[in-house]
Amino acid sequence: MAAYAFATVGNILALTGDVDMFQTEQTFSGGVFHHSIPNGRAGADIIVTPVELLARTQGDGSKLFSLKLSECQLELGGASGRMVFCRNTDSSLTIFCEERGFPAALSSASFGALDDRFRELRSLQRSQNSRQWFWVSISLLLIAVVCAGLYFGTLAAAQVAVRSLPISVDEKIGQMASVSMAPGIPLAEQHSATVLVRDIVEHLRPYSAIPDMDFRVVVIQDEQVNAFALPGGRIYVYTGLIRHAENAEQVAGVLAHEMAHATLRHGLQKVSQSLGIVVAMQFMVGDVGGLIAFGSQVAQESVLTSYSRAAETEADLEGARMLHTAGIDPAAMGEFFEIMKHEHEELPAILSWISTHPQHDDRISEIRRFRDSLPAAQYRPLQLSLDDAKRDIGQQ
Ligand SMILES: [Zn+2]
């Protein structure tokens, strides 16, 4: 060791010679902690010799530190857990290195004296890691449970809140949908077909579940056999439907069914079932405008597709109840289904109302069963004729 031209002061060596003479030793890149270094820490080249670790700090004012292997107290750490710290007995000097071959170099230089400590530290690290992973997994699971709770909780709360909104919201949804749909060319309000449909709706109104609903009638000049109601009570009837009906009672059957969709608020029900988390959250913080815009889209889609089977049956039965209390034989509703059923084969493309209301056989028998369960009543024919309306439609 005499060839090393260093003056030793405790563990610190003042560099006076050429340290290149250590080139044959194993050199690593690492660092040093010592109070004599500005900021207490510096990067260093580390040389592992069979006796000691030498660390030469980088940059100006390079210093050389020495730490005897026999004094080395090992620790593992750093972000990766692979950083090897070697401290002297009073912890005043620490040399550290993260390079992959460093532990093996220490092991071989110390002739295995440090191996037990390395094993002990690694096993400690493994158990800490598995404990950490356990808690990370538990935390992630808890976060997932809380997020799922918030997600489904918000949706469920919004669904309940949407269903308890006032009827004015249905009307706004229907109004917005009617503007963006533009379903076709409406007949004039004085047209005999419009008057007929309006008279039937007014006849049924007192017997509906919400008699003061803003029922508005629009008759569209179109050969489709179609009718639909928007939320809030706007009812659209296509001239094709009037043309295919045999009497005013059958038209009343279709209208009672559509009015029932509005009074049973099936549109709002579908809006609440279709809610996404974004609209639900906006709604829960008071943004009803977003809900109305979303509801308008849902209402338009519902016109093109249909409501659920349960909603359709509910509208049939509520419609049949309305007809019965209005003194109209609910069988008229079933009769219209029968006409559609027989003509369906020949005119599938234009029979929209029936094609969006599937399984009409089941519905006819369900309406019959319901009619039979009602108390006996004296049904009266409507004092309304389809003749004028049919004639005037033809002249369009
Ligand atoms: Zn329907």
Side-chain angles (χ1 to χ4, degrees), residues 123-139:
S123 126
L124 193 70
Q125 211 169 43
R126 272 194 298 274
S127 70
Q128 274 171 351
N129 282 350
S130 60
R131 249 199 320 275
Q132 250 168 20
W133 274 111
F134 173 76
W135 286 112
V136 167
S137 310
I138 292 283
S139 310

Side-chain angles (χ1 to χ4, degrees), residues 25-95:
E25 306 288 348
Q26 278 191 277
T27 305
F28 297 92
S29 186
V32 182
F33 290 129
H34 194 268
H35 66 83
S36 68
I37 304 169
N39 299 324
R41 169 193 179 129
D45 294 326
I46 299 163
I47 301 141
V48 183
T49 80
V51 183
E52 60 197 340
L53 281 180
L54 294 171
R56 182 180 60 178
T57 61
Q58 294 153 352
D60 293 341
S62 179
K63 287 182 176 178
L64 191 69
F65 296 88
S66 152
L67 203 158
K68 286 196 175 64
L69 288 182
S70 57
E71 276 185 28
C72 173
Q73 297 176 46
L74 283 177
E75 294 297 337
L76 290 177
S80 63
R82 284 208 310 269
M83 182 86 82
V84 177
F85 295 89
C86 190
R87 289 195 177 88
N88 64 358
T89 12
D90 63 2
S91 294
S92 60
L93 173 67
T94 303
I95 295 174

Side-chain angles (χ1 to χ4, degrees), residues 227 257-258 261 266 306-307 311-312 315-316 353 356-357 363:
H257 172 95
E258 294 302 336
H261 274 314
H266 286 155
S306 69
Y307 292 112
E312 293 303 342
D316 282 345
W353 197 78
T356 57
H357 290 77
R363 296 176 70 191

Side-chain angles (χ1 to χ4, degrees), residues 198-209:
R198 195 163 51 230
D199 284 351
I200 298 174
V201 167
E202 288 310 314
H203 185 85
L204 293 171
R205 174 193 288 279
Y207 310 101
S208 78

